[in-house]
Amino acid sequence: VSETLDIKANAGTNYRLPTFNDLYWQPGGNPDLKPEDSFTSEIGVLFKKTAWSLDATTFLIKNDNLIQWVPDSADFWIPQNIQESRNYGVELDFDYNLMLHEHHISFQSQYTYVNSRDESTELQLIYNPENKSNNTLKYQYGAFGLRYRLGYTGKVYTTTSNTQSLDPYWLSDINADYQLNRYNVHVIFSLNNLFDQSYQVVAYRPMPGRNFNLTIHYQI
């Protein structure tokens, strides 16, 4: 539309056959699964300036026979077809970059709202958070880099009846890296789950608390 504004639109169809694991994984495979069909559409706008940009997109996904793995009454999961389901929502992406001589500061923020429903019951699909956000602040000076990441995951339901759920959680990570170009060595130190948050991604499977990670890449 102009030097600072873009408009985009997209539509398409998808077809997916059940995988070998979907059909025959033991225990839990379901040889009676039907192929999955879906229709996707989106429309969005992109604002661009010298130092920053904002991308806003709204989308709709309609699925027939969506293949989804769900917990069984026993201690394993099984895949099943959801006859009709829909996902609709909004994605927001913000980027900011600042150069001060040799100092580079950048900030990226992504937020997604997704309403995922089984159209036969109007209940939320399991393990699909309505709200999710990732935010990253980076600083780069020569071969040295520092990054702070703050992420949010909203409540998710763990049963198709929407009677059980996992609590939302925030996670913070810090990452520092240094590139020794002379020796082809890249050193990365990460401090994950900075505030020792107690959380679960899958029910009854606690994730690690505060932990450290040191990585050294050497290229021959």
Side-chain angles (χ1 to χ4, degrees), residues 16-32:
R16 185 172 84 86
L17 290 169
T19 66
F20 191 84
N21 283 345
D22 292 334
L23 296 170
Y24 305 115
W25 183 267
Q26 291 296 324
N30 182 358
D32 297 323

Side-chain angles (χ1 to χ4, degrees), residues 11-168:
T13 58
N14 294 285
Y15 177 79
R16 185 172 84 86
L17 290 169
T19 66
F20 191 84
N21 283 345
D22 292 334
L23 296 170
Y24 305 115
W25 183 267
Q26 291 296 324
N30 182 358
D32 297 323
L33 286 174
K34 299 176 182 178
E36 176 184 312
D37 283 291
S38 65
F39 170 77
T40 65
S41 60
E42 67 177 31
I43 185 169
V45 293
L46 172 63
F47 299 95
K48 298 176 293 183
K49 290 291 186 179
T50 302
W52 63 270
S53 66
L54 176 63
D55 190 345
T57 304
T58 182
F59 59 88
L60 170 66
I61 304 173
K62 297 271 291 181
N63 296 288
D64 292 326
N65 296 316
L66 174 70
I67 299 171
Q68 185 180 58
W69 285 75
V70 299
D72 188 51
S73 56
D75 294 330
F76 57 88
W77 293 49
I78 59 172
Q80 66 179 23
N81 287 116
I82 298 176
Q83 187 172 4
E84 291 184 337
S85 64
R86 70 176 186 274
N87 296 4
Y88 65 87
V90 176
E91 293 178 342
L92 299 174
D93 290 280
F94 176 77
D95 288 286
Y96 178 79
N97 288 276
L98 177 65
M99 289 293 297
L100 297 172
H101 302 290
E102 297 183 19
H103 304 272
H104 181 204
I105 299 172
S106 64
F107 175 71
Q108 293 89 36
S109 180
Q110 295 91 32
Y111 168 75
T112 305
Y113 168 79
V114 183
N115 188 296
S116 305
R117 300 282 172 176
D118 182 335
E119 292 194 326
S120 64
T121 63
E122 284 302 316
L123 295 176
Q124 184 85 358
L125 298 179
I126 65 171
Y127 291 103
N128 279 268
E130 284 192 341
N131 297 283
K132 194 166 186 178
S133 176
N134 282 295
N135 307 276
T136 304
L137 179 63
K138 296 180 182 179
Y139 169 75
Q140 188 76 36
Y141 177 74
F144 173 76
L146 185 64
R147 182 184 69 174
Y148 173 72
R149 176 186 171 275
L150 176 64
Y152 172 78
T153 300
K155 181 177 76 171
V156 297
Y157 290 105
T158 60
T159 57
T160 54
S161 60
N162 285 184
T163 55
Q164 298 182 42
S165 62
L166 297 178
D167 293 333

